[in-house]
């Protein structure tokens, strides 16, 4: 009996990256400063003092990287557009060289038979907009809509698949509440305003993209972690529900036409002063698909409960973790997709990111051995296949990431790529996972 999991013929096999993580060339061709340039150049913010100044030098090597994707046999590429390359002052004047870069990239992808899936905001806010208030200010959402128009007007004759914002939870929590990401503001009080403006920005951009490109299929990308209570003790269950509401439902509910989860607005004592009439309708502008970034589940325990008080059985995190300290839990992706389908019913889902950092060995004989990553990707793809079999409309999967790259506050210390990058000389070397994924993408099946 065959154990081959065959995916639908029109399933999209892709790889994903983001501008600041791979492009480098941060001061070239009129690009403006981003919050990540400022943050990474501030001592003590990024591990090892790493910056995205060079990264994978993709800004100069993009033709080779497109050829690499063609060799990999992928039919889709999710990348992000750097706002400060296109609008160095954040709004107003368009930088033709910045937009020209993405214009050429799109042409090259299409020539290679690879469908472009750009994301407009993967965290590199123009620094001038941060100086003017950043995401706590509503003007940033309005500027984002202008930026979306500028990009969609130029690329919309060839690009139909768009994502607005990547992982608004990360922008809010890590960027503004905890200060672990750019712009490094540890100001919990601005959290709800940041999240709300990101969602308003998303809704405004959906309208602008469609106006410029009537055939567009538009979505937002959310990082969603299933929250499992440690036990069925009512306090653990309540805590898991609260985590789910503040991380997952805070974004899923409003884009689906529901309100922000009340338990969270109450907990944060948010007076909703930023919510203007009509905002919730803008946020709920129907989308064509949801981008799902899945890496792990979280097992949640209430601090008030001792283990002696917990009824058995407990939920234990499994034995395996990635180098990020994230539990390897493929069933969570299946559970998540079923839950999204049952509770939210989006028209389509794309797995816009899934992948893992492991401490890879150095290349030997032109290859990197990474069996843990192959096992990770394989198990998660089987979870996706199972969800499709149950009727969840999952249309594609993008490995995070094509290349080892700048992993934000961890600098270059965490390698997520299926292709190894030697950051000293920019050599790209296939890992075993790249060869494995090429077979999967080419055959449309996982065995
Ligand atoms: O590298 C990031 C990416 O930019 C956003 N999602 C998670 C990845 C791994 O941390």
């Amino acid at each position: 009996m065959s154990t081959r999991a065959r995916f639908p013929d029109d399933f999209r096999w892709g790889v994903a990256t983001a501008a600041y993580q791979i492009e480098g060339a941060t001061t070239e061709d009129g690009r403006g400063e981003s919050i990540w340039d400022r943050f990474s150049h501030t001592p003590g913010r990024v591990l090892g003092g790493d910056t995205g100044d060079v990264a994978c030098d993709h800004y100069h090597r993009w033709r080779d990287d497109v050829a690499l994707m063609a060799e990999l046999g992928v039919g889709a590429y999710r990348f992000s557009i750097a706002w400060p390359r296109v609008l160095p002052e954040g709004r107003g004047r368009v930088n033709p060289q910045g937009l020209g870069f993405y214009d050429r990239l799109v042409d090259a992808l299409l020539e290679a038979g690879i469908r472009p899936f750009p994301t407009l905001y993967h965290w590199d806010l123009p620094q001038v907009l941060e100086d003017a208030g950043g995401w706590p200010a509503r003007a940033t959402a309005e500027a984002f809509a202008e930026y979306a128009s500028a990009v969609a007007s130029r690329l919309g004759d060839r690009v139909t698949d768009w994502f607005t914002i990547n992982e608004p939870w990360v922008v809010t929590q890590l960027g503004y509440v905890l200060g672990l990401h750019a712009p490094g503001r540890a100001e919990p009080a601005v959290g709800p305003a940041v999240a709300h403006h990101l969602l308003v920005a998303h809704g405004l951009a959906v309208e602008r993209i469609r106006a410029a490109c009537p055939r567009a299929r538009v979505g937002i990308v959310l990082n969603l972690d299933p929250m499992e209570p440690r036990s069925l003790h009512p306090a653990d269950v309540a805590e898991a529900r609260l985590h789910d509401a503040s991380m997952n439902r805070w974004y899923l509910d409003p884009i689906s036409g529901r309100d922000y989860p009340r338990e969270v607005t109450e907990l944060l004592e948010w007076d909703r002063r930023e919510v203007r009439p009509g905002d919730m309708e803008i946020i709920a502008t129907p989308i064509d698909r949801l981008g799902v970034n899945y890496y792990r589940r979280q097992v949640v325990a209430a601090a008030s409960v001792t283990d002696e008080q917990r009824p058995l059985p407990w939920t234990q995190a499994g034995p395996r973790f990635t180098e990020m300290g994230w539990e390897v839990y493929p069933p969570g992706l299946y559970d998540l997709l079923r839950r999204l389908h049952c509770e939210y019913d989006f028209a389509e889902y794309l797995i816009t990111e899934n992948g893992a950092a492991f401490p890879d060995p150095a290349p030997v004989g032109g290859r990197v051995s990474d069996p843990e990553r192959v096992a990770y990707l394989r198990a998660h793809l089987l979870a996706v296949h199972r969800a499709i079999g149950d009727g969840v409309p999952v249309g594609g999967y993008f490995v995070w990431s094509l290349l080892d790259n700048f992993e934000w506050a961890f600098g270059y210390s965490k390698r997520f790529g299926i292709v190894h990058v030697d950051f000293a000389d920019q050599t790209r070397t296939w890992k075993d996972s790249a060869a494995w994924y090429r077979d999967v993408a080419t055959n449309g099946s996982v065995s």
Side-chain angles (χ1 to χ4, degrees), residues 164 198-208 281-285:
T164 54
L198 284 162
L199 288 173
V200 170
H202 154 74
L204 292 173
V206 173
E207 291 168 4
R208 299 292 185 96
E281 288 74 25
I282 291 171
I283 292 171
T285 304

Side-chain angles (χ1 to χ4, degrees), residues 163-416:
F163 287 108
T164 54
I165 289 182
N166 182 69
E167 301 183 353
W169 180 87
V170 173
V171 177
T172 306
Q173 286 304 120
L174 302 193
Y176 286 87
V177 172
L178 299 171
L180 301 172
H181 275 195
R185 287 167 64 172
E187 298 172 28
V190 303
V194 169
H196 181 67
H197 292 146
L198 284 162
L199 288 173
V200 170
H202 154 74
L204 292 173
V206 173
E207 291 168 4
R208 299 292 185 96
I209 294 166
R210 289 207 178 112
C213 172
R215 292 177 304 137
R217 294 173 60 73
V218 194
I220 186 171
V221 175
L222 301 181
N223 56 312
L224 299 168
D225 289 1
M227 303 290 175
E228 298 260 358
R230 176 93 165 96
S231 76
L232 290 184
H233 189 290
D236 283 344
V237 173
E239 191 68 18
R241 285 209 180 116
L242 190 59
H243 273 63
D244 180 56
S246 62
M247 178 173 181
N248 303 322
R249 286 182 42 224
W250 183 272
Y251 300 95
L252 286 166
D253 284 9
I255 63 171
S256 309
R258 306 173 197 175
D259 200 1
Y260 290 109
R262 196 150 50 115
E263 58 274 44
V264 186
T265 57
E266 282 174 4
L267 184 75
L268 298 177
E269 297 178 351
W270 181 37
D271 61 11
R272 302 173 70 104
R273 75 179 63 184
E274 292 83 8
V275 182
R276 294 194 186 165
D279 274 6
M280 299 314 286
E281 288 74 25
I282 291 171
I283 292 171
T285 304
I287 53 175
D288 299 290
R289 49 169 68 115
L290 179 71
V292 175
N293 290 358
Y294 176 80
Y295 289 92
R296 58 162 175 189
R297 74 165 168 182
Q298 293 192 40
V299 178
V300 180
S304 58
V305 181
T306 63
D307 281 351
E308 291 70 42
Q309 293 170 313
R310 294 199 156 92
L312 291 170
W314 297 346
T315 302
Q316 305 279 4
R320 286 176 305 143
F321 291 83
T322 69
E323 204 185 3
M324 299 293 283
W326 298 345
E327 184 189 4
V328 177
Y329 190 66
L333 180 51
Y334 169 78
D335 296 342
L336 172 64
L337 289 168
R338 277 190 62 113
R339 180 225 180 155
L340 291 170
H341 189 51
C342 296
E343 289 181 29
Y344 294 95
D345 196 21
F346 289 98
E348 190 191 31
Y349 304 91
L350 291 183
I351 309 305
T352 33
E353 288 181 29
N354 176 239
F358 289 112
D360 298 326
V364 175
R367 194 51 95 78
V368 172
S369 166
D370 63 341
E372 284 180 296
R373 187 172 293 102
V374 172
Y376 181 101
L377 297 175
R378 180 176 183 279
H380 285 81
L381 271 168
L382 290 176
V384 173
H385 185 263
R386 195 170 156 219
I388 294 172
D390 288 359
V392 184
V394 187
Y397 176 93
F398 294 77
V399 173
W400 186 268
S401 179
L402 169 66
L403 302 169
D404 290 338
N405 58 47
F406 178 80
E407 178 54 25
W408 308 113
F410 294 99
Y412 297 98
S413 69
K414 303 280 183 277
R415 292 178 176 270
F416 276 88

Side-chain angles (χ1 to χ4, degrees), residues 15-281:
V15 287
T17 65
Y20 191 74
Q21 295 182 271
I22 65 163
E23 284 180 0
T26 50
T27 54
E28 272 181 54
D29 292 341
R31 178 185 177 280
E33 187 188 15
S34 84
I35 56 173
W36 270 96
D37 298 310
R38 180 72 61 90
F39 185 79
S40 65
H41 280 269
T42 306
R45 293 300 207 169
V46 174
L47 197 67
D50 291 344
T51 73
D53 291 0
V54 178
C56 304
D57 197 30
H58 172 77
Y59 191 74
H60 300 116
R61 295 168 193 263
W62 60 275
R63 284 182 203 282
D64 294 342
D65 290 336
V66 172
L68 177 62
M69 285 185 259
E71 275 174 58
L72 272 170
V74 295
Y77 176 43
R78 175 174 174 245
F79 59 99
S80 81
I81 293 178
W83 186 346
R85 252 188 226 294
V86 176
L87 295 167
E89 290 92 30
R91 56 200 315 173
R93 181 183 68 90
V94 172
N95 172 25
Q97 289 168 292
L99 208 39
F101 171 71
Y102 298 106
D103 197 77
R104 290 190 294 279
L105 177 64
V106 162
D107 282 344
L109 288 166
L110 291 171
E111 252 170 60
I114 300 168
R115 201 174 171 97
F117 284 73
T119 302
L120 289 170
Y121 188 69
H122 200 124
W123 308 351
D124 40 3
L125 184 69
Q127 181 65 42
V128 282
L129 295 184
E130 175 56 31
D131 294 343
W135 285 109
R138 188 179 183 93
T140 302
E142 287 153 7
F144 182 72
E146 287 174 27
Y147 158 60
S149 280
V151 177
S153 312
R154 174 72 176 267
L155 304 182
D157 57 337
R158 285 151 292 155
V159 173
T160 49
D161 302 277
W162 297 87
F163 287 108
T164 54
I165 289 182
N166 182 69
E167 301 183 353
W169 180 87
V170 173
V171 177
T172 306
Q173 286 304 120
L174 302 193
Y176 286 87
V177 172
L178 299 171
L180 301 172
H181 275 195
R185 287 167 64 172
E187 298 172 28
V190 303
V194 169
H196 181 67
H197 292 146
L198 284 162
L199 288 173
V200 170
H202 154 74
L204 292 173
V206 173
E207 291 168 4
R208 299 292 185 96
I209 294 166
R210 289 207 178 112
C213 172
R215 292 177 304 137
R217 294 173 60 73
V218 194
I220 186 171
V221 175
L222 301 181
N223 56 312
L224 299 168
D225 289 1
M227 303 290 175
E228 298 260 358
R230 176 93 165 96
S231 76
L232 290 184
H233 189 290
D236 283 344
V237 173
E239 191 68 18
R241 285 209 180 116
L242 190 59
H243 273 63
D244 180 56
S246 62
M247 178 173 181
N248 303 322
R249 286 182 42 224
W250 183 272
Y251 300 95
L252 286 166
D253 284 9
I255 63 171
S256 309
R258 306 173 197 175
D259 200 1
Y260 290 109
R262 196 150 50 115
E263 58 274 44
V264 186
T265 57
E266 282 174 4
L267 184 75
L268 298 177
E269 297 178 351
W270 181 37
D271 61 11
R272 302 173 70 104
R273 75 179 63 184
E274 292 83 8
V275 182
R276 294 194 186 165
D279 274 6
M280 299 314 286
E281 288 74 25

